[in-house]
Amino acid sequence: DASHRERQLEVLVVDDDKDLQQLYDLQISHWPLPIRLHQAYNGFEGLRLLGEVKPDVLITDLNMPGMDGFQMLREVCSWPASEHMLIIAISALPRSALAERGGLPAMVRFFPAPAPFDTLLELVTHLHESRKPARAGS
């Protein structure tokens, strides 16, 4: 019955680096979780997909051409739906540069590049566990 089928987690990765996108695809496809991965290559495309997909998890780079991750995150974090989203920024920018560019919204988890895939897996697994419907009698 449908109540026992696990709902897929929608994960959106926004990064202009095609090699990094392939790495995310490779890593995430091996996670033992029901995930559907969506990819965008800049902030505008990211916002469009955020509206369409309503992801559970957003992982974004900060330094991108056009609309960067800072602008995209400020926009996303103003949406009521974002409070249920796990939002992660990964960047090679030093923390001092983050402050110079206005910082990140409080709800955004920041990790220095390269992407810490083990930590990401832990965070997404925790989110997945917290979203599972409680079993009757548990």
Side-chain angles (χ1 to χ4, degrees):
D1 101 31
S3 66
H4 290 305
R5 268 213 315 275
E6 288 189 290
R7 187 177 79 76
Q8 277 194 307
L9 284 172
E10 304 288 343
V11 176
L12 172 59
V13 175
V14 184
D15 197 310
D16 61 313
D17 184 322
K18 290 192 172 22
D19 293 335
L20 264 177
Q21 285 281 24
Q22 281 185 309
L23 181 62
Y24 277 108
D25 194 13
L26 200 67
Q27 290 283 336
I28 292 172
S29 68
H30 287 94
W31 289 358
L33 294 166
I35 288 178
R36 187 164 37 209
L37 179 64
H38 306 270
Q39 295 177 301
Y41 293 92
N42 60 55
F44 290 114
E45 199 182 344
L47 281 178
R48 186 181 58 74
L49 275 173
L50 277 156
E52 272 176 37
V53 173
K54 302 186 179 29
D56 302 288
V57 181
L58 168 63
I59 301 171
T60 185
D61 184 20
L62 294 173
N63 236 354
M64 294 180 285
M67 178 187 278
D68 65 17
F70 291 95
Q71 289 174 282
M72 184 187 72
L73 287 170
R74 281 194 274 277
E75 175 66 27
V76 171
C77 291
S78 72
W79 301 350
S82 69
E83 58 194 56
H84 303 294
M85 207 185 297
L86 173 60
I87 303 176
I88 299 166
I90 298 172
S91 179
L93 290 172
R95 283 189 188 268
S96 58
L98 299 185
E100 286 163 19
R101 292 174 70 175
L104 293 171
M107 64 199 302
V108 176
R109 312 272 301 252
F110 174 77
F111 296 99
F117 285 105
D118 292 348
T119 305
L120 296 179
L121 173 57
E122 282 173 33
L123 290 169
V124 175
T125 299
H126 180 74
L127 177 75
H128 178 63
E129 294 298 321
S130 73
R131 300 254 170 114
K132 277 186 181 168
R135 300 266 186 295
S138 59

